[in-house]
Amino acid sequence: NAEYMGIKSSTEQKMQQSLESFKQALTKIRTGRANPGLLDTVHVDYYGAMVPISQVANVSLLDARTISVSPWEKGMGAKIEKAIRDSDLGLNPATQGDLIRVPMPAMTEERRKELTKVVRAEGEHAKVAIRNLRRDANDGVKKLVKDKLASEDDERRAHDDVQKSTDRFIADVDKLVAAKEQDIMAV
C-alpha cells in the first residue's frame, strides 16, 4: 500500500535524522580525550564571514590530550585562538609560532559525572523524539484505516514495522550513550 509505505519511509527518515542530530549533540560534549571534531562548532571571522575553523586551518591531534590548529594564513592565528577561547567549550589555547595548541583540561570526577548526566539527558531527548515519530506514524496509519485506504491487517503489520524501527533506533541511541559515557569516565 503506497500511503503506508510513504508513512513508513518518512518515519524511518525522521528517526534517522533524530539519531544524527543526537550524534551531533554528542560531539559537543567534551571527554578527557582530545578530538578534532570538538572544534567543529567553533566559528571564526574570515573576511567578514563566520566560518568553521576547519575551513581556515588544519585541525589535527598532537597527542591524546592535545589538538593542534595550524592556520593556512598568517593573520588568522590570533582570531582562531580568540574564537576557541571565547567558545563555550572551556578550552585554553596557546599559540607557539604558527601553531595553536589546544590542551584538553583534565576533568575532575565530579565534572565527569555531570557530563554523563548530560549525555543521558541528550539520549532521553533523542528517544522521546523517536517515540513521538512512532506515535505520529501509528496515528497516520490509523487515519488510513479510518479513511478505508488500509485494512486492519495492514494496520497491525504497520504497527509492528514501526515498533521494530523504533526499537532499532532506540537501541542505537542506548549504544551511543554507553560508548560516550565510557569515553567520559576513561581517565
Side-chain angles (χ1 to χ4, degrees), residues 7 10 20 22 49 51 61 65 75 86 89 103 131 142-143 169 178 186:
I7 290 175
S10 101
E20 292 308 319
F22 172 57
V51 298
L61 286 182
R65 301 190 63 89
D86 295 347
L89 295 170
R131 290 185 190 117
K142 269 195 192 100
K143 190 179 178 321
F169 281 104

Side-chain angles (χ1 to χ4, degrees), residues 86-100:
D86 295 347
S87 74
D88 56 1
L89 295 170
L91 300 172
N92 194 9
T95 302
Q96 296 175 323
D98 293 337
L99 187 74
I100 303 166

Side-chain angles (χ1 to χ4, degrees), residues 37-53:
L38 194 60
L39 298 179
D40 288 351
T41 58
V42 181
H43 287 62
V44 63
D45 177 19
Y46 183 68
Y47 297 109
M50 294 308 280
V51 298
I53 287 178

